[in-house]
């Protein structure tokens, strides 16, 4: 069994009593990082600023319902695990088509919640399922493993995800992606993140001008001078990194 205490969980339910019951059950199971929102829009606004591992959501809510919220989250580049909590059983097929970790019927029992959380936690930390970005291409959702990604660059309203052989557009803010990527990415200037393990060389080309060379990318990327100390500190233990001044 994994460590449920490490999970970051967002509960989305329009009923106050349902939210508080789930918060209590999660606390009983050792989950300490629990946040609650009462509708889909405030949940989306909150998620844009805070990374979570699991979204535990109701279906029947005013405005955008839980199923619509789940479809939106599944199209994000780094979607959280989904667990539905609902009084209705007729959405189960659609829920699992959205790759939900579990589908719980109200009133939610502690044992069933624990089972769903363990399934979600296993997906979060499964070494046989490497972390992926979810991208849209010609109407299809594709998984792009972190190992193929080199950098992400904000351009106008979109973020371009660049791999060693392709590019994809993401309809998400760079800051939200940076929050969810955590230590896997490094910011090199305000509009660009690079995947940490792809960095090969940091070099100074002129006074106050720096650039980074990434694996499999021919063109070096410019680096903001203010980011240099953080980049050097983050990569100090990487023997493969070359710094040229």
């Amino acid at each position: 069994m994994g460590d449920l205490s490490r999970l970051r969980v967002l509960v989305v339910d329009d009923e106050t009593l349902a939210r508080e019951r789930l918060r209590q059950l999660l606390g009983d199971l050792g989950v300490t990082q629990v946040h609650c929102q009462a509708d889909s829009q405030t949940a989306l606004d909150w998620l844009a600023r805070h990374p979570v591992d699991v979204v535990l959501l109701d279906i029947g809510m005013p405005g955008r319902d839980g199923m619509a919220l789940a479809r939106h989250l599944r199209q994000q580049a780094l979607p959280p695990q989904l667990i539905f909590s609902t009084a209705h059983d007729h959405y189960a097929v659609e829920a699992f088509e959205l790759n939900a970790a579990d589908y719980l019927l109200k009133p939610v029992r502690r044992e069933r919640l624990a089972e769903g959380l363990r399934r979600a936690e296993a997906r979060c930390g499964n070494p046989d399922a490497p972390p992926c970005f979810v991208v849209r291409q010609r109407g299809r959702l594709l998984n792009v493993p972190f190992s193929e990604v080199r950098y992400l660059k904000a351009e106008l309203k979109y973020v371009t995800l660049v791999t060693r052989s392709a590019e994809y557009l993401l309809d998400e803010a760079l800051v939200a992606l940076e929050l969810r990527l955590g230590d896997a990415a490094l910011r090199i200037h305000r509009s660009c993140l690079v995947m940490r393990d792809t960095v090969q060389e940091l070099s100074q080309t002129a006074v106050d001008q720096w650039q980074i060379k990434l694996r499999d990318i021919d063109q070096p990327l410019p680096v903001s001078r203010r980011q240099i100390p953080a980049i050097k500190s983050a990569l100090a233990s990487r023997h493969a990194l070359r710094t040229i001044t």
Side-chain angles (χ1 to χ4, degrees):
M1 183 189 304
D3 181 9
L4 298 183
S5 66
R6 74 179 184 87
L7 289 178
R8 299 165 296 181
V9 179
L10 174 65
V11 175
V12 186
D13 197 308
D14 64 317
E15 298 180 0
T16 302
L17 290 178
R19 292 196 302 272
E20 290 308 311
R21 172 173 169 76
L22 287 171
R23 185 194 291 274
Q24 180 178 349
L25 289 174
L26 289 164
D28 291 343
L29 293 170
V31 182
T32 59
Q33 300 181 74
V34 181
H35 304 274
C36 296
Q37 298 294 340
D39 61 78
S40 293
Q41 189 55 58
T42 55
L44 283 174
D45 293 343
W46 189 89
L47 286 166
R49 304 185 303 274
H50 305 90
V52 298
D53 303 300
V54 180
V55 176
L56 184 57
L57 69 162
D58 187 21
I59 293 179
M61 295 186 290
R64 178 183 291 180
D65 67 15
M67 200 58 71
L69 173 60
R71 286 193 292 268
H72 181 90
L73 294 176
R74 271 299 292 150
Q75 293 179 21
Q76 290 187 340
L78 295 169
Q81 295 297 320
L82 301 174
I83 297 177
F84 287 95
S85 167
T86 177
H88 308 286
D89 61 3
H90 53 276
Y91 294 101
V93 172
E94 185 175 357
F96 287 108
E97 287 176 349
L98 290 168
N99 198 31
D102 212 337
Y103 190 92
L104 309 178
L105 291 176
K106 294 179 177 178
V108 175
R109 293 184 294 110
R110 175 177 169 174
E111 296 77 11
R112 283 291 290 116
L113 178 58
E115 181 181 337
L117 289 173
R118 284 194 293 267
R119 186 175 292 116
E121 193 273 338
R123 291 185 180 190
C124 292
N126 184 357
D128 296 322
C132 295
F133 288 89
V134 177
V135 302
R136 181 175 291 277
Q137 185 182 59
R138 300 185 183 94
R140 297 182 301 149
L141 292 179
L142 304 177
N143 289 329
V144 178
F146 278 18
S147 59
E148 294 185 12
V149 179
R150 297 299 177 260
Y151 65 95
L152 300 99
K153 184 177 181 181
E155 299 175 300
L156 299 177
K157 297 193 304 178
Y158 299 94
V159 170
T160 300
L161 181 151
V162 180
T163 74
R164 54 189 176 187
S165 59
E167 296 185 3
Y168 305 94
L169 288 182
L170 307 179
D171 188 13
E172 284 194 77
L174 192 68
V175 65
L177 292 168
E178 182 179 23
L179 280 171
R180 292 203 290 278
L181 283 167
D183 290 340
L186 290 170
R187 181 175 286 274
I188 62 170
H189 58 71
R190 67 176 184 174
S191 62
C192 189
L193 300 173
V194 301
M195 300 303 285
R196 178 191 297 263
D197 62 1
T198 69
V199 176
Q200 289 189 317
E201 182 179 290
L202 172 67
S203 61
Q204 185 173 11
T205 58
V207 176
D208 291 339
Q209 292 185 15
W210 293 77
Q211 65 182 21
I212 264 184
K213 179 73 172 62
L214 305 181
R215 187 170 70 250
D216 303 322
I217 299 295
D218 294 333
Q219 185 66 37
L221 300 176
V223 177
S224 169
R225 181 168 60 90
R226 64 183 297 181
Q227 299 295 338
I228 295 300
I231 293 172
K232 285 185 174 180
S233 175
L235 298 176
S237 62
R238 284 280 308 281
H239 298 299
L241 176 71
R242 296 175 58 203
T243 302
I244 301 175
T245 59

